[in-house]
Amino acid sequence: MNHFDVIIIGGGPAGMQAAIRLGNFNYKTLIIEKEKSIGGKLTQWDKLFPDFYSAEELLQNLTRQLNENVSILTEQEVKDIENTSENEWTVKTADGQYSSKALLIASGYDFFNAKRKEEFGYGIYPNVITSVELEAMIKNGKITTLDGRIPQKIAYLQCVGSRDEKVGNHYCSINCCICAVKQSIEVKELLPDVEQYCFYMDLRMAGQHYEELYRTSQEKYHVQFIRGRISEAASTFDNRIQIKAENTLLSTPLKLTVDLFVLMVGMEASETTRFISQKFNISNEYGFLQSKQRYCSDNETEIKGLFLAGTCKRPMTIPKSLKDGDAAANAIFDYLKNR
Amino acid sequence: MNNFHPFVLPFTIGTVVLFIILFALFVKWLLQMDKTQKTTALKNIISFKTLKAVWEAVRECLFHRNIFRTNPVLGYMHLSFAFGWFLLIVIGKIETTFYSGTFWDEFWLAIFFRFFEDTSVTFSGSELFTQLMDACLLFVLSGIVLAVIKRFYSKIYGMKKTTKHTIVDKIALTSLWCIFPLRLLAESATAGIKHNGGFLTQSLGNLLVGLPLEHITLPLWWMYSIALCLFFLFMPFTRYMHIFTEMLLVFLRKWGVTENNQKTGYTNIELNACSRCGICIDVCPLNTEAGINNVQSVYFIKNTRYGTLTKEIADNCLMCGRCVQACPVGIESTLIRQIMRKKECFNNKDYYQYIPDKEEKQISEEKEVIYFAGCMSHITVSIPEAMKHIFAAANVKYWYMDENETICCGRPLMQQGLDKQAETLRQKNTEKILSSSIRTLVTSCPICYKSFTEEYHLPIEVLHHTQYIDRLIRQGRIKVNRSDIKVTYHDPCELGRGCKIYEEPRHVLHAVAELMNVKMEKENSLCCGYNLANTQLELEDQMKIRNAAINNLTAPKPDTVITSCPMCKRALQHGINVNIKDIAEIVDENIAK
Ligand code: SF4
Ligand code: SF4
Ligand code: SF4
């Protein structure tokens, strides 16, 4: 039986939350997920800011709430989508074809490919890593350099691939500032002797309890925040990373050698998101999907029966994505009822 | 005197004045050349080069071969004007020589011959001459028709933009366009009376017979003469000055004269040799990609010539050299631009602040090469990394000269017209280079390479890493495997058009991968848009230019795009996700263990 009321493309937080709601509304719902399991980027996270809530617990919580109306297909990449008739959507994957009355896109984001900022040496020097890789180490409870040493000094660099007109991303990714604060605290707890430096353009602590956490990271965990851009990174003979930067508050050049250099990578439209935004011609300038109207119909699109949720629209935090999934389910409910 | 009539006076005066002005200007410009330019020219005057120059002058100034190559219709237009007119003068002169039995007849006779011709005088070949002259006239007229069409519909010439005119230009242009139709009418009218026309003028003359020809003929000859006069008088102040200046330029260039780093008489000659054909507008990425169409060589040259150059125009150029490559006259407009950008900067200190005070220690060990990565390579770190591996694989001992303290080669400052600052950097680097006794310098950056080879005058061998790697492979010092990766190659402006290095990188790439061709390559390669030479360009426009280059390179669907310039690499890397590598990286990956 390949016909559903709603198909959701992407089983991340937004897609899952929408599925929970739609299932509760008694709609037959299908989630199509390209990875092995649902959860999206949540699966790569250990604890969430600002309260260190466990990502795994959240995921379990969400999974538990999915009822029998929701089917899940994993490891299925969307090959094509068609708006077959007025009220009918067809989604083709490598293995099959599925149809529905409404389609919800929750195809999310990808991390910025740090190799595109070659000056930071990612992919070239072993001890330059991304925030995602650092999170994996935190999750494992073991932070080492590639050659197995315990790092003495770690530097973080904010806004890698965000707010950078050279790579064409003018926007802020919202999550990374506070994420670096969170990670630096976790790292310090694992490695009490480590010295940490965080390079930023400006720190955006725009959520509840973010500012407090930022304060704690300085007062209690002694993370040093330096306003300045890093111009280049180079490897030393012993595989440490030498950073050249400018402290823009003091207007002085600065050189620093660290054991780990963490790039806080930003968010870009994922490949599926790009594919869909181009296919239906609802792309914004960065390849994210454009909703009908930001204020009152942020889950609808110009196309009937096509809905959006979560970070396929723009960078969002996890709570925001979840709420957006809820909102999308409500919008779909209204649509199906009045159809 | 039966070969005189007052209507020849405007023409005569115009011609005399024109040649006086031309002579004066040419003498002035030649004297304004600087010492080295003068000595170079004098040294080569009596040599085979002069003969070559004659040939080139004929080929370019009469036949316009280069324009023909780029744009056949435009070429034909220029050819019919220049060569047709030339033939009219030469054949006309031969005709009157036969007619009057002497070469030394009145010089205007050839121009107004049909009017003065005494039909009772017969001379050998007179019929043939008449027909020939008509044929030439028809040839020129066909060019005028094309020129008129071009003015109004430049698109049919495949040109997106045609050049804009000044008032003086317009007068000269109008009189030029009138000359030959007036000549046709005047000769036809005369033929109607005297029956001395050829296939064209006689046929038209016969058609005119019904009209009161006795009253029309003379005014037509007057108008013809006045049109000539106006054209000649205005010519030195218009684009048409290129007709004669181009010839002078051809000779000087053949004698080895080039632009120096300041404005000289030679610069003036180059400026005046521009025919404003507009070919440079169509090849300029600023125009084709970003829609900026008032800064290209033709406008830059015009503004410089008339003293109306603004900083915005001078600075808005990538120095990518596509226009120079395409210019049929071969004007080195990027060099002139560099000269015109020259500026004094008062705060010198800032330019060298980053240079360390303490001298590095002398290198004592025996080493084979100096490796200079260049500032740009320091932010595309995989390039020097790959070079290190290659040096190691080839067992080459090298001194990494700018590993810790990079001193810029100075070329970006040169391009901005900051000569003194650049000179200081050159001195510092030269001292460093000569402090070792190593005889080969390898650099990873085409900008540095051009600077080291052209601006440094080093007594040692300088190679770009494409050349060096090619040499290592040829000498068998590194062994590489040929992978089945498909690649396309981006010719960096500075390495390709700038230094004419096209073959070495291709040879290297053939050895390690499957090299695919792209539409615009070698001389025609597209600029990556990130060139440091342009300080005016908005980032958005820069990206449009870059994307055009990316599209060109990814069209054949390669696995990887290869370049050999850190700046190009960065530019392309910042674009949409393309896999982009430097040539050193792909070689490094394919070294046989
Ligand atoms: S959240 Fe912070 S680090 Fe991330 S893009 Fe915005 S300002 Fe930069
Ligand atoms: S600079 Fe060269 S290509 Fe451009 S208009 Fe002048 S002659 Fe033509
Ligand atoms: S050098 Fe390049 S950017 Fe400058 S005018 Fe010529 S074609 Fe245009």
Side-chain angles (χ1 to χ4, degrees):
Chain A
M1 169 48 197
N2 283 346
H3 190 85
F4 297 87
D5 293 317
V6 187
I7 294 177
I8 302 175
I9 296 178
M16 287 179 83
Q17 183 65 34
I20 293 169
R21 273 294 160 272
L22 291 166
N24 290 347
F25 291 150
N26 273 328
Y27 284 131
K28 294 207 78 56
T29 304
L30 173 72
I31 299 179
I32 302 179
E33 167 61 49
K34 67 177 190 316
E35 301 296 334
K36 275 203 184 65
S37 61
I38 53 168
K41 298 280 186 295
L42 204 51
T43 55
Q44 301 187 32
W45 247 242
D46 180 32
K47 294 205 179 94
L48 307 177
F49 55 76
D51 55 1
F52 299 92
Y53 184 67
S54 156
E56 211 175 304
E57 212 176 308
L58 174 59
L59 189 54
Q60 280 167 6
N61 233 323
L62 292 172
T63 316
R64 213 178 306 123
Q65 291 179 61
L66 291 169
N67 71 14
E68 69 289 348
N69 289 327
V70 181
S71 323
I72 298 167
L73 265 179
T74 52
E75 287 185 275
Q76 294 280 309
E77 206 147 332
V78 171
K79 288 271 174 294
D80 202 9
I81 299 175
E82 258 171 78
N83 194 354
T84 29
S85 69
E86 180 69 348
N87 302 318
E88 188 82 2
W89 290 86
T90 310
V91 180
K92 288 185 190 135
T93 68
D95 295 356
Q97 187 164 323
Y98 309 90
S99 60
S100 67
K101 297 182 193 138
L103 185 65
L104 173 62
I105 311 295
S107 49
Y109 72 98
D110 268 340
F111 296 108
F112 174 78
N113 173 8
K115 283 189 184 159
R116 282 170 68 197
K117 295 294 286 180
E118 194 176 341
E119 56 266 50
F120 304 138
Y122 180 73
I124 300 157
Y125 306 132
N127 288 321
V128 181
I129 61 172
T130 65
S131 39
V132 188
E133 288 158 341
L134 179 66
E135 188 72 24
M137 290 189 195
I138 295 173
K139 203 169 177 176
N140 280 333
K142 197 159 175 249
I143 292 162
T144 59
T145 62
L146 191 95
D147 31 352
R149 284 180 291 115
I150 304 290
Q152 320 262 291
K153 279 188 188 169
I154 299 179
Y156 300 80
L157 175 63
Q158 305 280 37
C159 302
V160 175
S162 319
R163 305 175 68 198
D164 182 348
E165 52 175 19
K166 283 266 160 78
V167 297
N169 295 343
H170 292 254
Y171 57 87
C172 163
S173 291
I174 308 258
N175 291 281
C176 11
C177 273
I178 179 69
C179 179
V181 169
K182 177 200 84 115
Q183 291 184 327
S184 63
I185 291 176
E186 292 168 323
V187 167
K188 185 77 180 180
E189 284 188 334
L190 289 165
L191 306 171
D193 294 331
V194 74
E195 273 176 44
Q196 302 189 92
Y197 306 86
C198 180
F199 290 85
Y200 67 93
M201 283 199 271
D202 55 311
L203 285 163
R204 302 193 162 174
M205 298 297 157
Q208 197 180 30
H209 296 137
Y210 289 12
E211 192 66 31
E212 291 84 334
L213 197 66
Y214 167 48
R215 233 194 142 108
T216 315
S217 73
Q218 296 177 79
E219 286 173 0
K220 206 164 144 219
Y221 296 89
H222 308 294
V223 182
Q224 292 189 45
F225 289 84
I226 301 169
R227 197 186 84 178
R229 283 308 272 170
I230 291 176
S231 61
E232 58 181 270
S235 186
T236 60
F237 68 96
D238 54 354
N239 272 339
R240 297 167 78 207
I241 307 294
Q242 191 190 57
I243 288 167
K244 288 185 191 158
E246 191 196 342
N247 183 327
T248 49
L249 283 178
L250 303 176
S251 280
T252 49
L254 174 152
K255 257 191 212 171
L256 184 71
T257 306
V258 297
D259 304 286
L260 265 186
F261 181 30
V262 185
L263 306 178
M264 305 303 298
V265 284
M267 298 159 81
E268 283 191 319
S270 73
E271 222 173 282
T272 317
T273 299
R274 273 178 211 275
F275 166 74
I276 297 168
S277 66
Q278 262 160 32
K279 164 115 200 172
F280 294 105
N281 208 6
I282 42 170
S283 173
N284 74 4
E285 66 265 53
Y286 307 112
F288 285 109
L289 289 154
Q290 185 113 47
S291 64
K292 190 166 179 186
Q293 202 247 38
R294 183 187 277 265
Y295 302 98
C296 302
S297 21
D298 197 29
N299 297 102
E300 287 88 336
T301 62
E302 292 295 345
I303 300 156
K304 252 177 88 185
L306 185 66
F307 296 85
L308 311 175
T311 51
C312 64
K313 292 189 285 189
R314 63 193 81 101
M316 281 180 201
T317 59
I318 287 173
K320 191 88 198 294
S321 286
L322 293 170
K323 291 291 149 299
D324 207 44
D326 268 341
N330 285 335
I332 292 172
F333 178 83
D334 288 347
Y335 170 75
L336 290 179
K337 207 178 61 187
N338 299 327
R339 214 164 69 116
Chain B
M1 234 205 314
N2 59 356
N3 286 342
F4 177 79
H5 187 283
F7 80 74
V8 305
L9 283 178
F11 162 75
T12 312
I13 293 166
T15 316
V16 171
V17 172
L18 170 67
F19 279 98
I20 292 175
I21 297 178
L22 274 186
F23 182 75
L25 283 174
F26 282 11
V27 169
K28 184 174 121 200
W29 291 335
L30 289 172
L31 291 177
Q32 276 174 347
M33 295 205 304
D34 73 7
K35 233 170 126 207
T36 45
Q37 288 172 328
K38 282 184 202 158
T39 38
T40 326
L42 285 176
K43 219 169 52 200
N44 290 313
I45 280 191
I46 304 171
S47 74
F48 192 54
K49 291 181 177 136
T50 307
L51 282 180
K52 279 195 183 157
V54 172
W55 166 233
E56 191 184 322
V58 170
R59 203 182 62 198
E60 292 311 327
C61 305
L62 284 182
F63 298 126
H64 294 93
R65 189 192 60 163
N66 281 341
I67 304 190
F68 241 107
R69 280 191 181 161
T70 335
N71 188 332
V73 187
L74 197 65
Y76 176 81
M77 191 185 103
H78 280 253
L79 169 86
S80 61
F81 260 75
F83 190 50
W85 198 351
F86 174 78
L87 285 181
L88 276 177
I89 295 169
V90 173
I91 301 176
K93 185 68 202 169
I94 300 174
E95 183 183 21
T96 62
T97 307
F98 275 94
Y99 169 78
S100 44
T102 166
F103 181 78
W104 301 110
D105 50 21
E106 297 83 355
F107 77 85
W108 60 78
L109 187 57
I111 312 297
F112 305 107
F113 181 61
R114 295 283 169 262
F115 180 84
F116 294 109
E117 183 177 20
D118 180 348
T119 38
S120 62
V121 178
T122 50
F123 57 97
S124 48
S126 79
E127 180 59 22
L128 177 69
F129 278 120
T130 314
Q131 300 300 352
L132 262 182
M133 291 294 278
D134 265 20
C136 295
L137 186 57
L138 186 64
F139 186 37
V140 180
L141 285 170
S142 68
I144 292 198
V145 173
L146 289 179
V148 175
I149 298 176
K150 172 179 173 237
R151 200 65 338 234
F152 297 108
Y153 309 98
S154 56
K155 278 221 180 71
I156 65 157
Y157 287 75
M159 298 176 71
K160 283 151 214 122
K161 263 272 153 182
T162 189
T163 49
K164 297 168 197 139
H165 282 307
T166 64
I167 296 245
V168 186
D169 274 330
K170 279 188 186 143
I171 300 176
L173 181 76
T174 317
S175 41
L176 176 64
W177 282 0
C178 289
I179 291 172
F180 296 96
L182 282 172
R183 178 172 177 152
L184 173 71
L185 287 176
E187 287 189 343
S188 303
T190 302
I193 298 171
K194 296 212 277 186
H195 300 285
N196 61 346
F199 66 93
L200 180 67
T201 45
Q202 194 58 55
S203 327
L204 188 57
N206 294 343
L207 287 179
L208 297 178
V209 163
L211 301 172
L213 287 180
E214 323 72 64
H215 301 302
I216 306 174
T217 315
L218 199 55
L220 282 171
W221 284 105
W222 267 103
M223 278 154 68
Y224 170 47
S225 175
I226 289 170
L228 280 168
C229 169
L230 281 178
F231 180 64
F232 289 165
L233 288 183
F234 282 104
M235 183 174 150
F237 313 102
T238 66
R239 58 197 296 224
Y240 300 106
M241 187 61 187
H242 81 91
I243 298 171
F244 294 101
T245 321
E246 190 179 344
M247 291 192 220
L248 181 62
L249 178 65
V250 166
F251 280 89
L252 289 173
R253 199 158 46 208
K254 272 277 174 306
W255 291 334
V257 182
T258 51
E259 284 295 343
N260 274 350
N261 55 2
Q262 51 188 314
K263 195 170 177 220
T264 64
Y266 182 71
T267 316
N268 281 326
I269 294 171
E270 288 219 281
L271 293 175
N272 281 278
C274 167
S275 66
R276 290 186 211 156
C277 63
I279 286 177
C280 50
I281 308 174
D282 280 349
V283 295
C284 175
L286 294 176
N287 171 37
T288 54
E289 305 313 321
I292 300 169
N293 50 29
N294 57 348
V295 300
Q296 282 74 12
S297 307
V298 56
Y299 301 117
F300 163 75
I301 288 171
K302 188 163 98 179
N303 283 301
T304 313
R305 183 175 159 195
Y306 297 141
T308 51
L309 184 68
T310 59
K311 196 174 158 330
E312 283 67 36
I313 293 182
D315 286 354
N316 200 347
C317 164
L318 297 155
M319 303 259 192
C320 70
R322 277 178 66 80
C323 52
V324 177
Q325 177 69 32
C327 174
V329 187
I331 299 169
E332 293 268 25
S333 50
T334 46
L335 287 181
I336 305 178
R337 212 182 269 265
Q338 194 167 306
I339 293 169
M340 297 310 292
R341 283 180 177 183
K342 199 167 286 205
K343 46 187 154 295
E344 287 298 323
C345 199
F346 301 107
N347 184 6
N348 268 346
K349 232 177 57 228
D350 283 352
Y351 291 94
Y352 323 118
Q353 228 180 21
Y354 68 95
I355 297 174
D357 301 328
K358 60 170 194 310
E359 276 304 308
E360 288 198 34
K361 57 179 187 304
Q362 291 260 196
I363 41 155
S364 44
E365 284 172 75
E366 282 288 300
K367 302 242 159 103
E368 205 179 313
V369 295
I370 306 176
Y371 177 57
F372 187 91
C375 329
M376 279 292 154
S377 307
H378 280 266
I379 45 178
T380 45
V381 281
S382 50
I383 302 176
E385 285 300 306
M387 284 308 290
K388 283 184 194 168
H389 298 158
I390 293 173
F391 284 129
N395 223 340
V396 172
K397 285 202 176 135
Y398 64 101
W399 171 40
Y400 191 163
M401 175 177 152
D402 60 341
E403 179 160 23
N404 295 318
E405 310 293 353
T406 326
I407 301 177
C408 168
C409 68
R411 186 161 166 77
L413 290 174
M414 274 297 271
Q415 290 184 322
Q416 290 315 321
L418 295 162
D419 286 18
K420 273 203 209 107
Q421 288 78 0
E423 178 57 34
T424 313
L425 297 182
R426 283 202 290 271
Q427 273 168 17
K428 299 255 179 203
N429 274 321
T430 308
E431 273 167 33
K432 251 176 117 173
I433 293 167
L434 298 183
S435 74
S436 81
S437 53
I438 306 169
R439 307 308 296 167
T440 303
L441 176 94
V442 175
T443 175
S444 281
C445 175
I447 306 166
C448 305
Y449 175 70
K450 192 163 169 77
S451 188
F452 284 138
T453 48
E454 287 177 15
E455 290 154 3
Y456 270 70
H457 313 294
L458 292 169
I460 64 170
E461 178 190 40
V462 179
L463 296 172
H464 181 257
H465 72 250
T466 47
Q467 297 171 298
Y468 186 66
I469 294 172
D470 184 36
R471 179 185 291 182
L472 291 179
I473 294 177
R474 282 175 197 272
Q475 291 177 343
R477 295 186 63 183
I478 51 172
K479 296 256 181 299
V480 288
N481 295 325
R482 190 162 187 276
S483 70
D484 48 12
I485 300 175
K486 293 196 198 71
V487 300
T488 52
Y489 177 66
H490 170 71
D491 286 285
C493 299
E494 290 273 52
L495 195 66
R497 281 182 293 271
C499 300
K500 308 275 173 285
I501 295 180
Y502 299 114
E503 292 318 317
E504 291 93 331
R506 288 184 165 75
H507 184 255
V508 170
L509 286 175
H510 277 304
V512 295
E514 192 181 311
L515 179 62
M516 308 165 95
N517 290 336
V518 291
K519 195 159 154 236
M520 299 294 223
E521 57 181 4
K522 299 192 179 171
E523 296 81 2
N524 298 320
S525 122
L526 298 175
C527 177
C528 74
Y530 272 40
N531 207 318
L532 298 173
N534 195 329
T535 51
Q536 297 282 319
L537 196 61
E538 298 285 338
L539 193 81
E540 245 165 67
D541 291 335
Q542 222 174 20
M543 288 178 172
K544 288 183 195 152
I545 294 169
R546 175 198 68 200
N547 291 346
I550 292 183
N551 291 342
N552 177 49
L553 291 163
T554 51
K557 304 231 181 314
D559 302 317
T560 306
V561 174
I562 305 290
T563 183
S564 48
C565 168
M567 202 163 55
C568 298
K569 184 182 177 196
R570 226 166 112 78
L572 303 176
Q573 201 172 37
H574 283 173
I576 30 191
N577 264 319
V578 266
N579 192 6
I580 160 109
K581 282 183 184 150
D582 186 87
I583 193 162
E585 293 172 69
I586 190 163
V587 170
D588 174 26
E589 285 163 15
N590 291 292
I591 288 181
K593 293 281 166 336

